[in-house]
Amino acid sequence: MKRGKLIVLSGPGGVGKSTIVQELKKRDHFYFSVSATTREPRPGEVDGEAYHFVTPSQFQRMIDARHFLEWADFAGARYGTPRQPVLDALTDGKDVLLEIEIEGARQVKQSMPEAMMVFLQPPSMTELEQRITNRGTDTPERIAARLALARAEMAAAGEFDHILTNHRVDEVIQSLVSLATS
Ligand code: 5GP
């Protein structure tokens, strides 16, 4: 059977990656990996669906057991992609989409150079700053940290194979499905 394609969707925090993934899940094209994280579940997030929620020591054991395809520290928590389900899905001929931050994306490129690296960028820096500033109940310090991180993450765009601009969710989705099927 033809092997599936691995697509890595990355981009600065606040750009709208998770909205794209929510919509893509309705299309039933991609296999989505469930990451492990040490952060607390948000209201409505189900363990094993949104993430596998684990303790820092469980996460460390998973690192030591080489359980992860990639993992990274982000905004005070750890996030990682379990390796085996991704490899199994690709072998089964399924296209896999990983929605991860930049540091993890770099690791995937290293270990699986055939991965298609896609960077999602905001229509403008102003728009990204507005999204980060308006989101949730973050403290001013946390908003400042998130803004600084997002600016640094934007500088990584040139490392990616494709850059998509998040003007409209349906356009981005169409582009991702086209990249997978091209
Ligand atoms: P959130 O806490 O808002 O769900 O996610 C924060 C960031 O972590 C997002 O940029 C998301 O793409 C990223 N992320 C989610 N899962 C993983 C993962 O398994 N590995 C890496 N490196 N980043 C992840």
Side-chain angles (χ1 to χ4, degrees), residues 17 35 39 42 51 70 72 74 79-81 99-101 104:
K17 300 190 292 287
S35 297
R39 84 150 161 75
R42 296 187 187 127
Y51 285 103
E70 60 73 34
F74 183 84
Y79 296 84
T81 306
E99 182 252 296
I100 59 179
E101 53 67 65

Side-chain angles (χ1 to χ4, degrees), residues 49-160:
E49 287 180 15
Y51 285 103
H52 300 291
F53 294 100
V54 300
T55 63
S57 56
Q58 282 172 321
F59 197 98
Q60 187 58 50
R61 278 198 293 279
M62 291 162 103
I63 295 174
D64 295 342
R66 303 186 51 77
H67 184 79
F68 293 123
L69 178 59
E70 60 73 34
W71 68 271
D73 284 306
F74 183 84
R78 286 180 158 185
Y79 296 84
T81 306
R83 182 197 314 271
Q84 202 54 49
V86 171
L87 299 184
D88 291 348
L90 292 171
T91 306
D92 283 352
K94 293 176 194 146
D95 296 329
V96 175
L97 193 132
L98 302 182
E99 182 252 296
I100 59 179
E101 53 67 65
I102 308 268
E103 195 47 53
R106 290 189 177 119
Q107 293 171 37
V108 176
K109 186 73 193 166
Q110 280 283 317
S111 59
M112 300 182 79
E114 72 279 17
M116 192 178 281
M117 309 299 293
V118 181
F119 188 89
L120 187 65
Q121 70 177 8
S124 70
M125 224 29 225
T126 315
E127 195 149 320
L128 183 66
E129 288 172 0
Q130 277 165 1
R131 285 183 62 121
I132 291 174
T133 311
N134 297 337
R135 193 154 84 166
T137 53
D138 280 352
T139 61
E141 291 75 27
R142 210 168 142 68
I143 289 173
R146 280 173 50 85
L147 284 171
L149 182 58
R151 288 189 195 107
E153 288 177 318
M154 282 297 289
E159 299 171 35
F160 286 72

